[in-house]
């Protein structure tokens, strides 16, 4: 049953910021500041209701505890709204979108994250279009009432993107996000052009299942020429470390140094899960293409396929909180749970 209502959740971010008169530094303001700068709200046919983080935060301070808070806000109000729009800072938006895609299992309604590169009260702000289009997309539905985009998305600069495929690519331009390994879900011009065959189709007969726990005993580690053995060994010797997202070269390659392979093999045998994700923004990890990648596969390193860094680390955090059995986690890493990888 449709309600013709969308919940707008304001966490903070540039879209609702104002300048400190003395320093000219941007700082979060409350939601009333944002609302008064968008008189177009009165022309929206969908009823909009609001929830504000108090105090609003800079997205650099985003944390798994706040992801759980967002899941709780959505799950407790799930039947009351047709969709949800989350206003969020751009710096960690892709991490939040990825995390929510796993934490909101069998999502059947849109959850759209958006924000802006310029505050809503500035003359050339991109915030108004991003906000108003996100609300319209969150309420878009078929004739039978089912949501047109029942997944976690990011909307920015005329593009609706799968959240767990998104990466922030630009600090200066309005086109801040892109999905390099997946097509857009919708392109916004004069009309919305939905690419229906790229949008997830959940089981509408089953309920959405919220998950609140994330285990962040994980690390992102980039390989680089000149990596030191003693430093790398010190990292792997940390007993709290459960998993690593290893950013390798090209299609999943690493130096063939004996010490590196021995340390990775020892860590894998001792239960540390190592996921291989490329440092390239586009393309797939193929550990059978070159010998340097094949060695990683032989010692137990798991392919991250075409995953983003944001999706890989949040997927690990989600799985570690959900399963105590490493074999189950490894199995799930080789599955697409929310459209985050191409298998």
């Amino acid at each position: 049953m449709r309600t013709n209502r969308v919940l707008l959740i304001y966490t903070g971010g540039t879209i609702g910021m104002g300048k400190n008169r003395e320093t000219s530094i941007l700082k979060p303001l409350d939601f009333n500041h944002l609302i008064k700068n968008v008189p177009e709200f009165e022309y929206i046919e969908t009823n909009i209701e609001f929830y504000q983080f108090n105090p609003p935060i800079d997205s650099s301070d985003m944390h798994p505890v706040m992801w759980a808070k967002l899941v709780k806000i959505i799950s407790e109000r799930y039947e009351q709204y047709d969709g949800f729009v989350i206003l969020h800072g751009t710096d960690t938006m892709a991490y939040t979108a990825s995390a929510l895609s796993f934490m909101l299992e069998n999502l059947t309604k849109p959850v759209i994250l958006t924000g802006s590169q310029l505050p809503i009260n500035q003359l050339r702000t991109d915030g108004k279009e991003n906000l108003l289009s996100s609300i319209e997309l969150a309420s878009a539905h078929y004739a039978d009432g089912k949501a047109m985009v029942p997944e976690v998305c990011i909307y920015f600069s005329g593009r609706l993107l799968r959240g767990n495929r998104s990466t922030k690519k630009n600090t200066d331009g309005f086109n801040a996000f892109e999905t390099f390994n997946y097509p857009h879900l919708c392109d916004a011009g004069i009309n919305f052009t939905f690419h229906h065959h790229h949008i997830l189709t959940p089981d509408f007969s089953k309920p959405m299942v919220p998950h609140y726990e994330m285990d962040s005993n994980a690390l992102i580690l980039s390989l680089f020429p000149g990596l030191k053995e003693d430093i790398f060994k010190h990292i792997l010797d940390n007993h709290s470390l459960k998993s690593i997202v290893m950013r390798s070269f090209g299609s999943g390659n690493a130096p063939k140094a004996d010490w590196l392979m021995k340390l990775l093999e020892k860590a894998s045998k001792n239960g540390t899960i190592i996921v291989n994700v490329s440092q390239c923004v586009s393309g797939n990890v193929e550990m059978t293409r070159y010998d340097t990648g094949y060695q990683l596969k032989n010692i137990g390193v798991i392919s991250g396929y075409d995953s983003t860094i944001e999706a890989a680390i949040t997927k690990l955090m989600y799985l570690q909180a959900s399963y105590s059995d490493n074999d189950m986690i490894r199995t799930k890493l080789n599955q697409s749970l929310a459209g985050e990888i191409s298998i």
Side-chain angles (χ1 to χ4, degrees):
M1 295 295 294
R2 295 195 60 78
T3 64
N4 197 39
R5 299 162 74 197
V6 167
L7 182 64
L8 186 59
I9 305 169
Y10 176 60
T11 68
T14 299
I15 192 167
M17 286 187 172
K19 279 188 178 181
N20 183 303
R21 292 182 180 179
E22 295 180 359
T23 64
S24 294
I25 293 175
L26 293 174
K27 62 179 182 179
L29 299 175
D30 64 30
F31 196 72
N32 291 328
H33 161 79
L34 188 147
I35 293 299
K36 72 179 184 181
N37 283 283
V38 191
E40 292 87 349
F41 269 128
E42 65 178 281
Y43 300 110
I44 298 175
E45 294 182 1
T46 302
N47 295 313
I48 311 298
E49 296 182 11
F50 310 103
Y51 186 101
Q52 176 180 327
F53 273 29
N54 190 19
I57 63 167
D58 187 288
S59 72
S60 297
D61 292 321
M62 188 52 67
H63 188 275
V65 170
M66 297 176 188
W67 294 339
K69 180 177 180 179
L70 285 169
V71 171
K72 185 177 182 181
I73 292 167
I74 292 169
S75 63
E76 288 181 346
R77 299 161 176 80
Y78 196 68
E79 301 302 328
Q80 301 172 31
Y81 299 95
D82 297 328
F84 303 85
V85 174
I86 301 173
L87 298 182
H88 194 292
T90 59
D91 286 348
T92 59
M93 187 182 290
Y95 287 97
T96 297
S98 296
L100 293 180
S101 74
F102 303 121
M103 298 171 80
L104 297 167
E105 182 182 349
N106 195 48
L107 183 67
T108 58
K109 298 184 179 185
V111 174
I112 300 176
L113 287 83
T114 193
S116 67
Q117 294 286 65
L118 287 174
I120 199 81
N121 63 351
Q122 291 196 15
L123 184 62
R124 295 182 56 249
T125 184
D126 54 328
K128 284 188 179 183
E129 194 277 323
N130 287 345
L131 173 57
L132 296 172
S133 292
S134 293
I135 292 170
E136 191 168 348
L137 287 163
S139 61
H141 61 281
Y142 294 104
D144 63 0
K146 292 177 181 176
M148 297 186 77
V149 193
E151 57 176 286
V152 179
C153 306
I154 288 177
Y155 179 83
F156 236 87
S157 191
R159 302 166 176 174
L160 185 67
L161 311 172
R162 177 165 296 164
N164 59 30
R165 293 283 193 152
S166 302
T167 294
K168 185 176 180 181
K169 68 166 187 174
N170 196 329
T171 62
D172 298 321
F174 290 146
N175 57 336
F177 291 90
E178 185 56 275
T179 49
F180 293 98
N181 286 325
Y182 200 77
H184 302 167
L185 305 183
C186 176
D187 290 301
I190 294 175
N191 299 305
F192 289 130
T193 303
F194 290 94
H195 308 297
H196 299 285
H197 52 295
H198 296 310
I199 299 172
L200 290 175
T201 303
D203 188 339
F204 286 96
S205 69
K206 294 181 179 179
M208 187 275 289
V209 181
H211 299 270
Y212 300 100
E213 300 297 325
M214 297 288 269
D215 184 342
S216 56
N217 288 311
L219 180 71
I220 298 172
L221 178 67
S222 288
L223 298 180
F224 59 91
L227 181 66
K228 292 292 186 180
E229 177 180 358
D230 56 340
I231 296 175
F232 195 71
K233 182 178 184 300
H234 181 71
I235 293 170
L236 293 182
D237 283 342
N238 189 316
H239 297 298
S240 298
L241 184 64
K242 293 183 179 180
S243 60
I244 295 173
V245 176
M246 185 175 69
R247 300 183 69 237
S248 60
F249 305 130
S251 60
N253 304 309
K256 291 194 292 185
D258 287 341
W259 66 263
L260 178 60
M261 293 301 159
K262 288 178 180 177
L263 286 177
L264 290 173
E265 183 175 21
K266 179 183 176 183
S268 182
K269 287 181 177 179
N270 288 340
T272 302
I273 295 172
I274 304 168
V275 179
N276 187 4
V277 175
S278 176
Q279 294 180 23
C280 302
V281 295
S282 179
N284 204 350
V285 165
E286 298 182 46
M287 290 192 288
T288 57
R289 180 181 293 182
Y290 299 103
D291 183 53
T292 50
Y294 192 74
Q295 288 186 78
L296 294 174
K297 183 178 180 180
N298 279 345
I299 61 177
V301 174
I302 302 169
S303 174
Y305 300 92
D306 55 352
S307 176
T308 64
I309 295 297
E310 297 90 341
I313 192 68
T314 53
K315 185 176 182 179
L316 275 171
M317 294 164 70
Y318 165 71
L319 291 173
Q320 287 171 180
S322 301
Y323 303 99
S324 57
D325 181 5
N326 270 12
D327 288 337
M328 179 60 75
I329 294 175
R330 289 173 178 272
T331 298
K332 292 292 184 181
L333 285 168
N334 285 295
Q335 298 174 359
S336 177
L337 304 182
E340 73 281 0
I341 53 176
S342 302
I343 300 292

